Amino acid sequence: SLTDLDREKFFNAVHILARVPTEVGQELFGKNYKSKDYFNRVHLYYGGTADCDHWHQGAGFVTSHVTFTLEYEMALQTVFPDIAQPYWDFTLESTFYRADDWRSSPIFSDSWFGAASPDNNLHTVTEGRWAYETAMTNARNFSQIVNSYGVLRAPWNNDPTPFMTRHDHVYGYMNNMKPSGCKEYYIALRKSTWMSMSKQLNAAAHGHIHETIGGSWNHYYADRIKSTTVGPAVLTFAHEIQALSKELWRAGYIACPDTCSMDTAWEDCQCEFDAGSYKGGKTSYEILDEVGILAQVDYYDEEGHKINSYYDANGTVYYTLPGYTEEASKHIYDELLEMLAVPGHIGDMFQATSSNDITFWVLHGTVDRLWHYKRLGPTDNYDETWDPYHTCYGHNPSNFQPFKNIFDSNDNYYTNAELYENLRPDKPVLQYMYDSFDWPHCELLGYDMSNEW
């Protein structure tokens, strides 16, 4: 329902945010103006720190990203007051395309979002609106978090490319996923608690868009496996490498160079865990257990068989895996750690400055639209309790988020609980509403998309 005129005005405003710094923009357009680099830095600060992920992997994902998008819309409206932040209903791509052709959707034309997987060594869009969209370089004076090249990116993503990046491969293999669709939305609407709903919105209903657009490269996984037949276990682990490598980085095992000049080859400026020089005295399985990787990884042996368990009934790690010799078990643990020891390069959308890709900004409105629809339905059998037990700040109801003056002018930061209330679709303070809550293509597939159950 987005007209050509509205699309062009939206894109024009986005381009202004990308080119006019915050201080200048506030002089020109008003106090609500904020630049693209401002938003990238905020997302990096809350998703790219070493202690934990303050905006993802918990219920705070929903309130933070919906409010973040609202703040972005307010900045856009300082440029063109008559535009609204559009959303991308990617369930249409899920319904009408396959995993191997959904990137041919018209939304990835040059006049829309640009190529979903650019065919060049930089992995950057070179035609259309988003050609050579920049990633901030020499950013050390702007941000406390940068990669080794000084690029405004996740610190574990040592990619020097000064542009927004995308790829349709994940660690050497063609990505076999497509956006989430009607099934995931249907499941979300049937959730009976806010905690389970927030997990669904953060995971399956979020669309897998970050990975499928961002992708990854410059990793030796596919070369080391040398599998002529890409089985499910090989691809399942490929989908996990980025997240699990990040946990090794957060635990201090993966280290990155302090600085690299922009003319340093990427091979000479990698984040890695060097097992050969490691002096900590822990075995591979002890490291993998300590970081929490064994509790969530899907790995396999050399014959492609999935390893079902790493723990006995008492929760103790198997030194010798069931069905394997001590030597074979050590080889599996060592190889698993080795595969996660180098994160490789990660497309912008798949890491902590995903907000540098235009698709980020049309993604979370889709999640919010589904959330609105759920909240407008009956609540008699819906438990809205927000558990206050998350170990990472940012995901509990009393935790503050970096937003103020969104719903009022009190100049106070909001807690998650306050955002949860202010974002109710029936609240007068909410500045927007969605055009519809219809998914006719899902109904045609047999899903009951009613919010009454």
Side-chain angles (χ1 to χ4, degrees):
S1 60
L2 189 68
T3 67
D4 290 344
L5 177 60
D6 286 341
R7 179 190 67 193
E8 290 306 305
K9 291 188 76 171
F10 168 61
F11 285 169
N12 285 340
V14 172
H15 276 290
I16 289 174
L17 265 61
R19 288 155 178 78
V20 179
T22 297
E23 295 77 9
V24 176
Q26 290 183 345
E27 291 290 330
L28 293 172
F29 303 112
K31 63 181 181 180
N32 287 336
Y33 178 93
K34 298 179 178 71
S35 71
K36 178 187 80 167
D37 291 327
Y38 166 88
F39 287 103
N40 286 346
R41 181 175 61 184
V42 170
H43 196 270
L44 180 59
Y45 279 9
Y46 284 83
T49 57
D51 55 346
C52 63
D53 192 323
H54 301 278
W55 266 15
H56 308 87
Q57 302 171 343
F61 159 77
V62 182
T63 47
S64 65
H65 282 73
V66 171
T67 312
F68 195 46
T69 304
L70 179 54
E71 185 179 41
Y72 188 76
E73 179 183 64
M74 293 170 65
L76 294 173
Q77 289 172 340
T78 65
V79 180
F80 294 123
D82 60 339
I83 64 172
Q85 171 67 48
Y87 65 88
W88 166 29
D89 185 0
F90 49 76
T91 64
L92 290 166
E93 276 70 29
S94 177
T95 299
F96 297 108
Y97 291 88
R98 303 183 306 273
D100 62 354
D101 69 357
W102 71 272
R103 294 176 181 84
S104 64
S105 167
I107 64 163
F108 293 113
S109 65
D110 292 344
S111 60
W112 277 88
F113 301 146
S117 184
D119 186 19
N120 57 71
N121 291 334
L122 290 176
H123 303 286
T124 196
V125 177
T126 59
E127 302 289 339
R129 274 283 194 170
W130 312 107
Y132 299 105
E133 184 68 20
T134 60
M136 180 185 256
T137 57
N138 298 313
R140 287 189 172 86
N141 291 331
F142 177 76
S143 173
Q144 295 180 28
I145 304 175
V146 294
N147 72 9
S148 298
Y149 288 97
V151 180
L152 194 65
R153 281 201 173 102
W156 59 85
N157 183 22
N158 256 3
D159 181 3
T161 306
F163 308 112
M164 180 264 291
T165 54
R166 298 173 177 169
H167 197 29
D168 60 5
H169 279 54
V170 57
Y171 294 101
Y173 291 105
M174 181 68 189
N175 200 317
N176 64 329
M177 294 196 304
K178 64 177 180 178
S180 296
C182 298
K183 178 181 178 181
E184 289 76 17
Y185 271 40
Y186 169 80
I187 292 172
L189 290 172
R190 297 297 175 269
K191 294 298 183 181
S192 60
T193 68
W194 157 242
M195 296 310 296
S196 61
M197 177 72 171
S198 66
K199 288 180 181 178
Q200 181 75 0
L201 293 177
N202 190 11
H206 195 185
H208 308 301
I209 300 296
H210 289 283
E211 177 187 331
T212 53
I213 289 182
S216 55
W217 57 95
N218 288 344
H219 191 277
Y220 49 75
Y221 176 58
D223 293 335
R224 289 292 301 273
I225 297 303
K226 297 178 180 177
S227 176
T228 55
T229 301
V230 183
V234 173
L235 283 168
T236 297
F237 181 67
H239 294 307
E240 297 175 339
I241 292 175
Q242 191 268 154
L244 298 179
S245 292
K246 183 169 55 178
E247 295 310 308
L248 279 173
W249 174 82
R250 284 203 161 103
Y253 288 106
I254 288 180
C256 307
D258 291 334
T259 60
C260 297
S261 63
M262 289 296 284
D263 59 358
T264 302
W266 69 264
E267 295 92 340
D268 299 324
C269 186
Q270 296 191 66
C271 298
E272 60 183 347
F273 170 63
D274 187 350
S277 61
Y278 172 65
K279 305 297 184 183
K282 296 179 181 177
T283 64
S284 295
Y285 86 90
E286 289 174 323
I287 293 173
L288 294 166
D289 176 49
E290 173 196 331
V291 177
I293 289 173
L294 294 182
Q296 55 185 313
V297 69
D298 288 307
Y299 200 54
Y300 52 92
D301 60 24
E302 291 183 344
E303 296 180 358
H305 298 137
K306 180 182 175 181
I307 299 170
N308 293 317
S309 176
Y310 300 93
Y311 298 93
D312 63 21
N314 298 318
T316 303
V317 180
Y318 287 120
Y319 177 75
T320 301
L321 293 163
Y324 298 89
T325 65
E326 179 180 329
E327 181 180 2
S329 298
K330 181 179 184 303
H331 176 74
I332 288 170
Y333 285 128
D334 288 346
E335 187 180 59
L336 172 55
L337 181 59
E338 182 183 6
M339 290 299 175
L340 299 175
V342 180
H345 289 173
I346 306 156
D348 280 6
M349 193 61 173
F350 198 22
Q351 46 93 61
T353 50
S354 50
S355 49
N356 196 45
D357 193 311
I358 181 61
T359 57
F360 175 95
W361 294 110
V362 295
L363 171 59
H364 301 100
T366 301
V367 173
D368 184 38
R369 178 179 173 231
L370 186 66
W371 188 30
H372 272 210
Y373 186 50
K374 175 71 172 179
R375 300 180 92 179
L376 289 169
T379 58
D380 292 343
N381 58 350
Y382 182 60
D383 182 0
E384 297 193 75
T385 302
W386 189 324
D387 293 340
Y389 311 120
H390 204 288
T391 57
C392 181
Y393 192 92
H395 296 294
N396 293 311
S398 62
N399 295 164
F400 286 94
Q401 294 287 0
F403 309 111
K404 57 184 178 179
N405 302 326
I406 304 291
F407 308 100
D408 52 47
S409 56
N410 296 333
D411 208 36
N412 295 320
Y413 291 105
Y414 304 104
T415 65
N416 275 322
E418 291 169 334
L419 292 176
Y420 186 90
E421 290 302 315
N422 284 323
L423 290 168
R424 288 187 181 276
D426 57 352
K427 281 282 187 177
V429 296
L430 197 62
Q431 305 98 313
Y432 65 94
M433 61 186 295
Y434 287 98
D435 56 345
S436 72
F437 299 105
D438 298 321
W439 292 268
H441 50 290
C442 297
E443 298 281 357
L444 288 173
L445 292 175
Y447 292 101
D448 177 8
M449 299 304 288
S450 169
N451 62 356
E452 298 184 9
W453 58 285

